[in-house]
Amino acid sequence: MLDALGDGRPRSRETTASRAKGGILVVGGFVVALFVIEIVNMLTLHSLNRTFGLRPRSLDGLLDIFTFPLLHASLNHLLSNTLPLIIFGFLVFLSGLRVFVTALAFSWLGSGLTVWLIGDGGVTVGASGLVFGLFAFLLVRGFFNHSWRQILLAVVLFMVYGSILLGVLPFVAGYISWQAHLGGAVGGVAAALLMRPRRGV
């Protein structure tokens, strides 16, 4: 009698399916939470931004690193981040929860620390640093992993979304935080480097 799992293929498909389901639940849940926070923020005339937005080079601003991506300047601001956050987050999650959490954490911290260190002085809010971090992770991980499939995905993503990388430049638009974008992207690259396969010794 043949074992359906003997060659590992059905199990692999099941793993991919379960990761896809998990990605939808986790990333979708995170985005829903962002909308709930934004509704509360709107009802309080965005007072949360003044309390929990990131203020560069202030001691208590260090704590704001953990809250500022959860807040947005407006509903349109959140909507502009929603689709790429879902797409990039889902694609990263397909590699597993640990990979997703690592990429998200490095993007979060990289974005926040960069704004805190070299921000222009205003209050910074928004998840765009996470978007840039996850995008950068997807762009470079295939080269670190020596995976042609991941490199091909990176090429497709770059062709579709590559123009957003201009957001790391300080002269593109005065109303965006290029520091958050740059820091998030650096964090995403660092996460990909950290998660690369270790060669045997």
Side-chain angles (χ1 to χ4, degrees):
M1 181 177 181
L2 293 177
D3 183 1
L5 297 179
D7 61 358
R9 292 179 184 175
R11 182 173 298 162
S12 176
R13 287 198 295 268
E14 181 181 357
T15 299
T16 301
S18 63
R19 286 179 176 177
K21 182 179 179 180
I24 293 172
L25 292 175
V26 172
V27 178
F30 181 66
V31 170
V32 168
L34 293 181
F35 274 92
V36 171
I37 293 171
E38 177 57 22
I39 291 172
V40 174
N41 210 5
M42 291 170 60
L43 293 175
T44 59
L45 303 178
H46 286 93
S47 62
L48 296 180
N49 292 357
R50 295 188 292 273
T51 304
F52 299 105
L54 180 51
R55 292 151 291 174
R57 295 174 297 282
S58 64
L59 187 59
D60 55 348
L62 285 172
L63 296 177
D64 299 329
I65 290 175
F66 300 100
T67 56
F68 85 100
L70 303 175
L71 305 167
H72 289 81
S74 66
L75 183 59
N76 286 336
H77 184 202
L78 173 56
L79 288 172
S80 69
N81 286 327
T82 298
L83 184 59
L85 187 60
I86 291 174
I87 294 173
F88 302 154
F90 176 77
L91 290 174
V92 172
F93 199 98
L94 288 179
S95 294
L97 178 61
R98 184 171 69 95
V99 174
F100 173 76
V101 171
T102 301
L104 186 69
F106 272 70
S107 304
W108 198 309
L109 291 176
S111 178
L113 287 172
T114 303
V115 172
W116 191 85
L117 288 170
I118 63 173
D120 292 334
V123 175
T124 299
V125 294
S128 57
L130 307 184
V131 170
F132 273 74
L134 295 173
F135 184 46
F137 178 86
L138 291 168
L139 289 182
V140 303
R141 66 170 179 170
F143 297 96
F144 293 141
N145 297 342
H146 305 290
S147 168
W148 286 107
R149 184 173 60 181
Q150 291 178 354
I151 292 174
L152 179 60
L153 175 62
V155 171
V156 173
L157 289 175
F158 182 79
M159 292 175 62
V160 177
Y161 289 102
S163 61
I164 72 171
L165 293 176
L166 293 175
V168 304
L169 303 176
F171 52 81
V172 172
Y175 57 88
I176 65 171
S177 176
W178 63 269
Q179 297 94 336
H181 298 170
L182 177 62
V186 171
V189 173
L193 183 62
L194 177 67
M195 300 297 293
R196 75 189 188 280
R198 297 292 190 271
R199 293 186 177 183
V201 294

